[in-house]
Amino acid sequence: MTEVQESPTQSEEEIDGLLRRFADGFSLQRRSPILHTPSEQGLDYEEVTFPSHDGVPLEGWFIPAPGSDRLVIANHPMGFNRSGLPTHLEPWRSEWAASGNAFEVDFTPDYKILHEAGYHVLTYDLRNHGHSGAANGGITSSGIYEARDVVGALTYVRGRPDTRGMAVGLFSRCLGASATFAAMTRFPDAFDTVRCLVAAQPVTARTIIERRLAVLGLSDRIDTLEQLIVARTSIGFAPRSPREWAKNVSVPAFLYQVHDDMLTHPDDVQTMFDNIPVVEKELHWIEGTTARFDGYLEFRRRPEPMLDWFAAHLS
């Protein structure tokens, strides 16, 4: 989501322009470049393409783990792609600097960790991200339409002769996590053979936007901003509801989140966790930082809790 700066004094015209830029950046994500590949981690991989549930072409990587019968499907946050986000480069650096997130997130080390733990990996770009197809007018929907991509990935691995019948776990981050919750709500039968979920930093759209407006001193403009977002996407905040979708999570779930993330509030993820109806669930807090992107780097830094979750449920 585009970060915007507040000047010391702003006219109504300037505030209106700021809100419009905010709505533009939230509604129509700039595609970020794919700057890394699994080969940088010494991994063999296959470039793959497959359709989403509604036919949108999705682009991804399949990283084989010969001899294994376990597979992890990984998807990414909003504005990212399968390789991460180049927040060390412009314009992403300036957009994220105000929230303390002006450092690169490279996901390829995650895939090496999973591979070395004995998992095949499928990772892909969600619609309107990376190299995947444009759809729904190019908008991001906080998981509503992206849920179809999650189902498409599951259909793809079940249709491949070399992955059909494998034990499947999901590694879903931010928008990808919300999309997974939404998919479990709308397409529950697609998850019949999924064994577990690791969900990194799912977030409610209204929560993160309220937080951004508060930083800008514009908390009273939330309704105006919502109207601008609806004008661009036809979707208000209420339908973008991972808290409600979490009530339909049907597999053992491990959630993790930066506790003091300045772009959200702990009670957002806590409510999602509380709403998950399964007995086997765990919530892990990341302490000592306010940077959201530290949560996306947690797996490469301290992967043991997540690997233990996968091992316990994919064995």
Side-chain angles (χ1 to χ4, degrees):
M1 179 168 57
T2 301
E3 298 285 324
V4 284
Q5 301 290 328
E6 182 189 20
S7 59
T9 60
Q10 298 178 98
S11 66
E12 283 299 317
E13 182 178 357
E14 289 171 331
I15 291 173
D16 180 70
L18 184 153
L19 292 174
R20 290 181 183 278
R21 292 194 302 275
F22 197 124
D24 288 342
F26 178 80
S27 303
L28 299 162
Q29 289 291 306
R30 177 189 292 109
R31 289 184 187 247
S32 55
I34 298 169
L35 297 185
H36 301 284
T37 68
S39 62
E40 296 175 20
Q41 304 296 327
L43 298 172
D44 293 329
Y45 70 100
E46 176 187 349
E47 295 272 3
V48 297
T49 183
F50 54 91
S52 177
H53 184 67
D54 59 358
V56 176
L58 305 177
E59 303 292 329
W61 297 320
F62 177 71
I63 303 167
S68 173
D69 61 356
R70 303 177 298 169
L71 182 147
V72 171
I73 300 175
N75 53 39
H76 61 77
M78 187 169 72
F80 287 57
N81 59 57
R82 71 191 106 144
S83 81
L85 188 69
T87 335
H88 59 307
L89 303 176
E90 297 295 347
W92 296 274
R93 181 177 177 83
S94 293
E95 290 171 354
W96 288 98
S99 59
N101 292 295
F103 51 90
E104 183 181 21
V105 177
D106 175 5
F107 285 144
T108 59
D110 294 11
Y111 309 141
K112 182 177 182 180
I113 291 168
L114 288 166
H115 179 268
E116 290 181 343
Y119 301 105
H120 302 270
V121 178
L122 173 68
T123 183
Y124 65 98
D125 302 326
L126 295 165
R127 65 185 59 209
N128 302 314
H129 289 77
H131 287 168
S132 286
N136 313 108
I139 66 170
T140 51
S141 64
S142 305
I144 295 170
Y145 296 132
E146 295 85 0
R148 302 170 186 174
D149 304 339
V150 176
V151 175
L154 287 168
T155 302
Y156 173 68
V157 298
R158 288 173 182 144
R160 278 182 65 121
D162 56 347
T163 58
R164 185 184 299 123
M166 286 187 176
V168 175
L170 303 177
F171 186 16
S172 302
R173 311 173 187 94
C174 185
L175 172 60
S178 296
T180 299
F181 295 171
M184 289 181 171
T185 301
R186 296 184 59 200
F187 310 103
D189 292 347
F191 295 85
D192 285 349
T193 59
V194 172
R195 301 280 188 87
C196 66
L197 166 66
V198 171
Q201 307 201 125
V203 65
T204 301
R206 184 181 182 98
T207 298
I208 197 168
I209 288 176
E210 284 179 335
R211 184 66 168 163
R212 284 298 305 129
L213 289 181
V215 170
L216 297 169
L218 297 174
S219 297
D220 60 335
R221 303 302 177 105
I222 185 69
D223 292 339
T224 300
L225 183 58
E226 181 176 20
Q227 291 169 8
L228 292 170
I229 291 171
V230 170
R232 288 154 175 76
T233 68
S234 304
I235 308 171
F237 294 143
R240 304 169 185 257
S241 186
R243 295 185 187 185
E244 286 300 309
W245 299 330
K247 295 176 181 178
N248 298 292
V249 171
S250 56
V251 300
F254 182 100
L255 277 61
Y256 64 98
Q257 166 73 44
V258 170
H259 186 274
D260 297 324
D261 177 1
M262 69 176 295
L263 294 179
T264 184
H265 294 287
D267 63 357
D268 189 36
V269 168
Q270 183 68 58
T271 300
M272 293 182 213
F273 177 77
D274 292 343
N275 284 349
I276 292 173
V278 301
V279 173
E280 291 185 84
K281 61 180 181 177
E282 186 172 335
L283 174 57
H284 173 73
W285 293 112
I286 302 164
E287 306 285 356
T289 180
T290 62
R292 181 170 182 81
F293 289 7
D294 277 326
Y296 301 138
L297 296 178
E298 181 72 3
F299 184 76
R300 67 188 289 182
R301 293 168 174 167
R302 288 170 287 272
E304 291 79 12
M306 302 76 154
L307 289 178
D308 288 347
W309 194 260
F310 284 130
H313 296 95
L314 294 178
S315 298

